Amino acid sequence: MNKIDLAIVGGGAAGMAAALYAARSNLNVVLFEGQSPGGQITLTNEVENYPGLGVENPISGPEIAMLFLNHAEKFGSKTEYTFVDSIEGTAGKFILKTSNGSWLSKAIILAPGSKAKEIGVPGERELMGLGVSTCATCDGAFFRDQEVVVIGGGNSAIEEGLFLTRFAKKVTIVHRRQEFRATPVILERAKKNKKIEWKLDCVVEKINGKNKVENVEIKNIKNNQTETFETNGVFIFIGHNPNTNFIKNTVNLDDQGYIDVNNKQETSIKGIWSAGDCSDHHYKQLITSAGDGVKAALNAIHWLEENS
Ligand SMILES: Cc1cc2nc3c(=O)[nH]c(=O)nc-3n(C[C@H](O)[C@H](O)[C@H](O)COP(=O)(O)OP(=O)(O)OC[C@H]3O[C@@H](n4cnc5c(N)ncnc54)[C@H](O)[C@@H]3O)c2cc1C
């Protein structure tokens, strides 16, 4: 069996930042990535809010992903392109099983990220990052003085809709019911905002556009009438699913599947840390994920020094 000091599960911003710090501390590090390196950020074609990047020339998510990966590999981090299927064992002797074999690792950082829930309509995946977004903080500023559509009726949809009014000239919230899951105080604030319009009892059935969003097809589910609604931005806020199914019997998860961590990124199991969107309900940014990854790596490095 392959023996290593530190296994990092997930090659998004959190995992790659952790890999850089751990490899630069001379640990024998393997980063496991089941798809392509970079995670969610590879879904967007422009990132404007990572300090120091994209200042003079625009930079895309995939370009940032390759910068992160090359930086970690420069210091000796190895990348295994395979999903980790399960984790067994105890601190100092964890076994990670994959379809490419098993690894024995002294410590683990979990960084499998999360996925925004999809509404499942034509155009949604094709136009993701080209006008379709799941993050107002990330993409709101691209829609200055434009008209955008927000889909959802929970707190995040209404809060993100309010945030978008800082940039957009009009925000239309499309929600399939009359009732909202959002808390009354947030809803009230949104109802008072003159830039927000409402399409209730409505669903988006299709997102149209060639290389960017041009319009959406909206159906009223009470009277079955459909309309084509001109917009350049479609923000979908119907929740996230953390990619934690494979470790549900390994570490403690909360009721929504996020990994429980303390402020040192420690999980419920000694020798396992967690970083990034898989353990973050709120911030879900490239830099906060990378920051979590660094905290997890520094604590793992220290723990390995004390326990090897
Ligand atoms: C369309 C879009 C645009 C965005 N724009 C911005 C932006 O402009 N600025 C910004 O700061 N943030 C942006 N974000 C948010 C940012 O991408 C995320 O916060 C960040 O990618 C989270 O990093 P992460 O490492 O925690 O997880 P992820 O990026 O989700 O990466 C997790 C990785 O783990 C892998 N993985 C999962 N399970 C396993 C397993 N069992 N074994 C091996 N590998 C596994 C996945 O394949 C994935 O590559 C955007 C997100 C989206 C979706």
Side-chain angles (χ1 to χ4, degrees):
M1 201 182 310
N2 309 287
K3 289 187 184 166
I4 55 177
D5 295 323
L6 180 65
I8 299 174
V9 185
M16 294 192 288
L20 160 62
Y21 270 66
R24 194 161 173 270
S25 293
N26 272 345
L27 294 182
N28 182 359
V29 179
V30 172
L31 177 73
F32 293 88
E33 171 50 55
Q35 291 174 312
S36 51
Q40 295 168 72
I41 203 62
T42 59
L43 298 175
T44 189
N45 67 350
E46 190 168 354
V47 177
E48 277 192 333
N49 60 0
Y50 197 88
L53 296 183
V55 183
E56 284 173 8
N57 297 307
I59 188 160
S60 71
E63 285 171 315
I64 292 185
M66 289 322 293
L67 287 175
F68 269 49
L69 185 69
N70 292 341
H71 204 165
E73 289 186 341
K74 174 181 168 184
F75 291 105
S77 171
K78 295 187 190 68
T79 311
E80 285 289 334
Y81 290 99
T82 180
F83 273 105
V84 171
D85 297 323
S86 67
I87 296 172
E88 293 163 10
T90 51
K93 291 176 284 199
F94 291 112
I95 296 170
L96 295 95
K97 292 194 173 154
T98 80
S99 53
N100 286 355
S102 296
W103 274 259
L104 183 66
S105 184
K106 293 177 187 165
I108 297 176
I109 294 176
L110 298 170
S114 71
K115 272 196 196 79
K117 289 182 189 163
E118 297 182 349
I119 54 171
V121 301
E124 180 180 23
R125 286 194 181 170
E126 297 83 341
L127 293 165
M128 180 62 70
L130 298 168
V132 178
S133 175
T134 54
C135 177
T137 309
C138 313
D139 296 330
F142 294 123
F143 295 90
R144 217 170 278 278
D145 297 325
Q146 299 183 44
E147 299 196 8
V148 301
V149 163
V150 165
I151 299 171
N155 273 338
S156 62
I158 308 303
E159 279 175 7
E160 301 277 37
L162 275 163
F163 178 78
L164 286 166
T165 61
R166 295 175 187 213
F167 313 100
K169 66 176 177 207
K170 191 172 99 184
V171 175
T172 301
I173 298 183
V174 180
H175 180 44
R176 61 184 317 126
R177 280 179 277 278
Q178 291 284 334
E179 305 75 35
F180 289 84
R181 274 175 293 111
T183 47
V185 58
I186 292 165
L187 198 55
E188 216 38 54
R189 206 174 300 152
K191 284 187 173 159
K192 284 188 186 140
N193 190 309
K194 292 198 168 59
K195 282 189 172 179
I196 295 185
E197 293 187 4
W198 306 85
K199 285 202 176 285
L200 305 183
D201 293 325
C202 286
V203 293
V204 168
E205 287 200 315
K206 199 170 173 207
I207 304 170
N208 298 313
K210 285 235 163 61
N211 293 315
K212 63 181 178 68
V213 171
E214 289 162 20
N215 60 59
V216 292
E217 285 169 34
I218 297 179
K219 178 178 173 184
N220 183 310
I221 54 176
K222 284 276 157 70
N223 61 20
N224 281 335
Q225 281 187 350
T226 54
E227 65 173 306
T228 301
F229 190 87
E230 303 296 321
T231 185
N232 301 115
V234 180
F235 287 82
I236 302 167
F237 302 117
I238 56 168
H240 280 81
N241 286 325
N243 303 320
T244 52
N245 210 24
F246 73 108
I247 38 160
K248 64 175 191 277
N249 298 320
T250 309
V251 292
N252 284 355
L253 308 179
D254 70 14
D255 57 356
Q256 291 174 54
Y258 287 84
I259 301 169
D260 276 338
V261 284
N262 62 16
N263 62 7
K264 292 181 174 166
Q265 307 300 134
E266 290 168 335
T267 68
S268 55
I269 299 295
K270 196 177 275 303
I272 305 185
W273 290 260
S274 166
D277 283 12
C278 62
S279 42
D280 175 4
H281 280 261
H282 188 61
Y283 299 104
K284 293 191 168 67
Q285 295 293 292
L286 209 52
I287 193 157
T288 52
S289 295
D292 283 354
V294 170
K295 282 196 272 174
L298 290 172
N299 290 322
I301 293 162
H302 181 68
W303 183 85
L304 282 163
E305 256 166 29
E306 307 258 293
N307 291 280
S308 285

